[in-house]
Amino acid sequence: MQSWILSIRTTLAYFDQFSHPLSATELWTFLWQPPVDKISWEEFLIILDSAVQENIILVNQGFYCLPGRSSIVESRQRAQVLVEKKLAIARKAAPILGAVPGVQAIFVCNTVAAGWPSVQSDIDLLVVVKPRRLWLTRFLFTITTVLLTKRRHDHQVADHLCLSFYITRDQLNVSAVRGPLPDIYLIYWLQQLFFLVGDQDIPLEVLEANGWV
């Protein structure tokens, strides 16, 4: 049990940096380097309850966090309102952006996808492009976002679209940009991508291409 509790605490410590407590389901999904021995969901809940009873972790309104950090539950609830607002902006632009020639899928990434944006946060996008069409598609995509007046630039940041990443469909493996191993940030970044529009097969293709995660 101690190895599972260590993994739980490590996971919560990472997300604590962003004032982001986790539900039991999220902990189960994002558990960092879980022990090799397999347990059931029911057994996992028992371990969580035991850790709470021993004051190793806290639970507040269904969210788990480290001791002394129950206030971040309120921070997460405020952030969720911003997430929904910013995703609504992205969804409104999605039909037009998704129709740009060469675009095969668009994901929301970074703080909005992860669930901890601020009021001033922009909306970062990952654009998957048809092979051998990267530069043309990037040009057309940029022009389209400018016409939508949604592209981030200079002092216009909050709630604007930021064209952060472009990758081609035949190069979905992003391991080349990993930091020192294990790159915990990039691993969670990939798992938290929010599919916005495009070919429904691409989210699975991204996960399969990054099996190193």
Side-chain angles (χ1 to χ4, degrees), residues 83-105:
V83 168
E84 293 169 1
K85 173 187 175 183
K86 293 173 189 291
L87 284 180
I89 294 171
R91 288 190 179 104
K92 185 176 180 179
I96 297 175
L97 295 178
V100 172
V103 171
Q104 299 206 306

Side-chain angles (χ1 to χ4, degrees), residues 5 8-10 12-13 16 21 50-60 63-73:
I5 290 178
I8 289 168
R9 281 180 54 85
T10 302
L12 292 176
D16 183 81
S50 175
V52 170
Q53 295 300 320
E54 296 177 25
N55 202 34
I56 296 172
I57 61 175
L58 296 180
V59 61
N60 181 7
F63 292 104
Y64 294 86
C65 59
L66 298 176
R69 293 289 288 162
S70 60
S71 62
I72 66 174
V73 171

Side-chain angles (χ1 to χ4, degrees), residues 170-206:
D170 59 344
Q171 296 291 332
L172 298 176
N173 187 335
V174 298
S175 60
V177 299
R178 284 184 297 185
L181 298 179
D183 189 338
I184 186 171
Y185 181 85
L186 184 59
I187 288 173
Y188 282 134
W189 184 89
L190 280 165
Q191 289 184 303
Q192 293 169 324
L193 290 174
F194 182 88
F195 179 70
L196 190 61
V197 69
D199 189 328
Q200 298 285 336
D201 293 332
I202 291 181
L204 181 58
E205 291 177 17
V206 171

Side-chain angles (χ1 to χ4, degrees), residues 6-179:
L6 176 61
S7 185
I8 289 168
R9 281 180 54 85
T10 302
T11 307
L12 292 176
Y14 172 79
F15 285 91
D16 183 81
Q17 299 176 81
F18 309 98
S19 297
H20 195 78
L22 299 175
S23 67
T25 302
E26 290 167 337
L27 257 174
W28 177 259
T29 301
F30 295 126
L31 196 62
W32 180 252
Q33 297 183 338
V36 294
D37 53 308
K38 303 297 183 182
I39 62 173
S40 66
W41 167 247
E42 290 74 18
E43 291 172 318
F44 181 70
L45 291 179
I46 292 173
I47 293 174
L48 277 181
D49 185 62
S50 175
V52 170
Q53 295 300 320
E54 296 177 25
N55 202 34
I56 296 172
I57 61 175
L58 296 180
V59 61
N60 181 7
Q61 301 183 55
F63 292 104
Y64 294 86
C65 59
L66 298 176
R69 293 289 288 162
S70 60
S71 62
I72 66 174
V73 171
E74 183 178 344
S75 298
R76 171 164 182 177
Q77 292 169 336
R78 289 196 302 267
Q80 187 57 39
V81 174
L82 296 175
V83 168
E84 293 169 1
K85 173 187 175 183
K86 293 173 189 291
L87 284 180
I89 294 171
R91 288 190 179 104
K92 185 176 180 179
I96 297 175
L97 295 178
V100 172
V103 171
Q104 299 206 306
I106 303 172
F107 295 83
V108 176
C109 59
N110 291 359
T111 59
V112 176
W116 49 72
S118 68
V119 173
Q120 294 301 317
S121 293
D122 55 14
I123 305 163
D124 293 293
L125 300 181
L126 164 66
V127 185
V128 179
V129 178
K130 187 175 181 179
R132 297 180 296 281
R133 297 289 180 85
L134 179 60
W135 294 107
L136 175 59
T137 301
R138 180 175 178 174
F139 172 74
L140 295 174
F141 199 88
T142 300
I143 293 298
T144 303
T145 53
V146 169
L147 293 175
L148 286 172
T149 67
K150 287 296 182 183
R151 182 170 181 262
R152 167 185 170 164
H153 60 88
D154 297 332
H155 302 296
Q156 295 186 359
V157 175
D159 296 339
H160 279 67
L161 301 176
C162 182
L163 314 184
S164 301
F165 306 96
Y166 292 86
I167 54 177
T168 56
R169 193 168 183 175
D170 59 344
Q171 296 291 332
L172 298 176
N173 187 335
V174 298
S175 60
V177 299
R178 284 184 297 185

